[in-house]
Structure formats: structure tokens, C-alpha cells
Amino acid sequence: MGQKVLLVDDSLVARLGMKKILKDTPFEVVEAASGEDALAAIDGGLRPVFVFLDLTMPGMGGLNALRELRRRMGELPIVVVTADIQKATIEEARLAGATELLPKPADRGAVLAALARAGLPA
Amino acid sequence: MTDPGFGPLELDALRELMNVGFGRAAATLSELMDLHVVLSVPRVELVPIEELASYVSSEVDDPKSFNVVEQFFLGKFEGSSFLLLPEEEGRRLVDLLVGEDADADAPLDSLERDTIIEIGNIIIGACVSKVAELLGDVVTYRPPRFAAGALDRELFARYVKPGPGMALVMKTLFRFERRDVFGLLFLVTTDTGLGWLKRAVAAWLESLS
């Protein structure tokens, strides 16, 4: 089993786009459609090496999910992938524990570079 | 009438496009106003044109008194975009930008009206252009138009050609953090635009597989 990358996004299309980018990498992609689903997976024993997280999601939303993931998973790289690219949002995400932020739609180069910066070359 | 069939995946794709488009709009607006714009998860629905007024009215608490900025966009992606601000919210927004306390009972003066139109123009332009760009189109715009009053059939009849077709309504609610101002953005595609949009979304989805 390869190392797992967790994709958290309420949009199936957004997840499809990210999965296409990650298709030829050694990582096994695990999907969650909400912050709640992601936390349930973590609480159920999932141990990803990297998380891509959307911010604008129903339910608890991405920022709260980010805080909870950070609390549970310590130094795990969590990259926020979001359409909300306001300076205040970026700062809020950093304060909540985001490793970095990629604007949507994320391109292949940016995604692979984020993985590489976390010591996970694809 | 164009076959309006959009499946769940196509609607999800449109929601995601709207999400990206409005994210750009919010970033532009927050730079201008130095305020954080809180975005909601967009909703996308197909609504019969005949029911557009009642649909939009049902989306707000009090549809009697609104400021509306409408702007028609032309391209393969084509339709009308509406920024809806409850009248009181429009005044608060003007206060934020212009720094004057508008008299709540007085009609909007030209400066206030121009401010609201400009805000509408920024939000609509950034959002629609981004959605079009992601789908490989370039749109042009007619000048924005302002209206004030009730969100009724008469108001929408000025902007959307009545007929038996369906309108694809993409809606985003936004709120200015700590300022308690909110508004709604709707995009309503024409019948022609709807057909192109369906093909463009299908091509986009195909590129993801």
C-alpha cells in the first residue's frame, strides 16, 4: 500500500481534477466530501502523509476542519486548495495551521511542487 | 427549447466553476474595500423562466425592496447576471465605501447609485469572466443597469426574455465580515448560452477523466 494523500472537497469535480493530477504519482488517494468525513476517517485510523483541503464547504467548513486536523495530526502537511484567495482568508488559513495555500483550480505543477516542498516528491 | 438536462456531475461542475469565479470576485472586492468577504457554497439550479421571479423572491426574507444591478454578458456563454442587495444593505455598502450615513428614508442619490453599480460591475465582471475563461470562452458586457423595487415578475421581465425555456440559476450569498452586509449573485443563462454551457461542461469533465 502506498502512502496516502487525503483530498477533502465537497465538489466531486474538484476531487476528480486533483485525482487526475495525482494519478501517476506513487500516492494512494483517499477522498472525503466534507470536513466531518475527513475527521471521521482520521478518527477511524486513516494516517495520510499529506492533505489537500478545500475551504468553502457546507457543514463545519474548511477552516474548522483545518483546525481539527491540525490538532489531531500535528505537523502533517495540510495544503488549502481554495477559490477564496483574499488576503484575509489566506492569513486566516495560515493562522488555522495551513502549510500553504493553492488557488483553485490548482494546476499540476503547483500540486506536485507542494508535495515536493513537503519532502514527498512525486 | 434547449434540452436542459444537467446531471448531478454537471451541476457539481457548474457549482465549482461558480465557486472559483466568485472567489476571484471576492478577492477583487476585498482589495478595493479592504474588507473580508465571506463566501457561501454556491447553489446551481434549473428554474423555468416563468418561475424566475417567484424563485428569486423565495430566496430572500423580504423581496419588497431591493437594489438590483443587472449586466448582460455576451459570448458563447451568454446571459444576464444580477447582483441583488436588500435596499438597506445597499445603503450600508455605500456607507462603507463613501463614508456617509445615508438617510434611510431618502431615495438613493446618484453617488450612492453609482457606487452600487460599480460594486455590481466588479463582482459580476470578475465572476462571469472567470467562469467563461475556465470554459474556454471570452465574454463581453453590456453596460450595467440599475433598478430598485420589488423582486417581482415585472422587474425580471425587463431583463430576461419571457418564454417556455429554463434558466440556469447560479447563486452565491456573500457577507462582509463584521459589517453585517449581505447580497446575492445570480447568473441566468439564455437558451443559447445554456446549450453551449452544457457542451462546454461536458468537454471540461471529459478532460478530467
Side-chain angles (χ1 to χ4, degrees):
Chain A
M1 294 284 278
Q3 293 177 305
K4 293 183 175 67
V5 168
L6 176 61
L7 299 180
V8 190
D9 199 311
D10 60 312
S11 167
L12 174 58
V13 168
R15 297 200 306 274
L16 282 173
M18 291 292 286
K19 277 169 69 179
K20 186 183 180 190
I21 290 172
L22 296 168
K23 193 169 71 176
D24 297 325
T25 70
F27 304 110
E28 181 186 341
V29 175
V30 179
E31 297 176 61
S34 66
E36 288 87 343
D37 286 354
L39 293 172
I42 297 292
D43 291 344
L46 178 69
R47 290 296 173 264
V49 295
F50 199 98
V51 177
F52 289 104
L53 174 71
D54 182 28
L55 284 189
T56 311
M57 292 190 289
M60 72 190 301
L63 275 176
N64 287 327
L66 174 57
R67 292 185 188 100
E68 284 302 314
L69 284 167
R70 183 57 72 216
R71 195 171 66 80
R72 285 165 164 82
M73 300 298 290
E75 297 301 309
L76 174 72
I78 303 173
V79 168
V80 165
V81 185
T82 180
D84 188 352
I85 52 171
Q86 299 171 80
K87 282 180 185 167
T89 304
I90 295 169
E91 183 56 24
E92 206 169 6
R94 289 200 193 288
L95 289 172
T99 307
E100 62 178 292
L101 185 142
L102 301 179
K104 274 188 176 184
D107 63 44
R108 180 179 168 79
V111 168
L112 298 185
L115 285 162
R117 280 192 290 277
L120 297 166
Chain B
M1 183 178 119
T2 303
D3 171 17
F6 282 84
L9 191 60
E10 284 82 8
L11 291 174
D12 184 63
L14 289 168
R15 209 160 25 241
E16 185 63 5
L17 287 165
M18 186 74 170
N19 186 30
V20 173
F22 200 73
R24 296 303 155 104
T28 306
L29 198 61
S30 72
E31 284 282 321
L32 177 75
M33 298 177 68
D34 198 23
L35 282 174
H36 187 201
V37 183
V38 181
L39 306 175
S40 71
V41 180
R43 267 176 44 201
V44 177
E45 288 178 87
L46 279 161
V47 178
I49 286 174
E50 293 289 325
E51 295 173 19
L52 191 59
S54 57
Y55 171 84
V56 173
S57 296
S58 72
E59 292 294 307
V60 298
D61 288 337
D62 181 7
K64 287 180 191 149
S65 193
F66 264 74
N67 292 315
V68 179
V69 179
E70 184 270 353
Q71 196 159 17
F72 195 84
F73 52 96
L74 301 100
K76 293 170 192 157
F77 181 40
E78 184 178 279
S80 280
S81 41
F82 296 89
L83 179 73
L84 309 179
L85 295 165
E87 193 173 52
E88 191 181 338
E89 309 287 0
R91 287 175 186 282
R92 287 188 200 152
L93 208 49
V94 169
D95 291 346
L96 287 176
L97 275 182
V98 183
E100 294 174 1
D101 288 327
D103 178 350
D105 296 325
L108 287 172
D109 67 22
S110 61
L111 174 63
E112 292 166 342
R113 184 175 294 208
D114 284 352
T115 304
I116 290 173
I117 290 173
E118 184 58 16
I119 289 169
N121 195 19
I122 290 168
I123 292 178
I124 288 167
C127 184
V128 172
S129 294
K130 191 65 195 173
V131 171
E133 179 197 317
L134 289 168
L135 291 173
D137 192 21
V138 177
V139 291
T140 56
Y141 298 90
R142 292 208 180 120
R145 294 185 285 183
F146 177 87
L151 297 177
D152 55 18
R153 184 181 289 260
E154 189 183 333
L155 184 139
F156 284 99
R158 293 184 213 168
Y159 305 122
V160 180
K161 191 177 158 192
M166 301 291 283
L168 183 77
V169 180
M170 298 194 260
K171 172 200 154 188
T172 290
L173 173 72
F174 61 94
R175 185 169 62 80
F176 291 90
E177 194 172 46
R178 294 186 295 275
R179 299 291 179 156
D180 199 26
V181 177
F182 79 96
L184 297 163
L185 180 71
F186 286 91
L187 305 185
V188 180
T189 59
T190 62
D191 210 33
T192 313
L194 198 59
W196 176 82
L197 191 59
K198 191 173 176 191
R199 292 190 296 277
V201 167
W204 192 51
L205 287 170
E206 181 66 28
S207 76
L208 298 179
S209 60

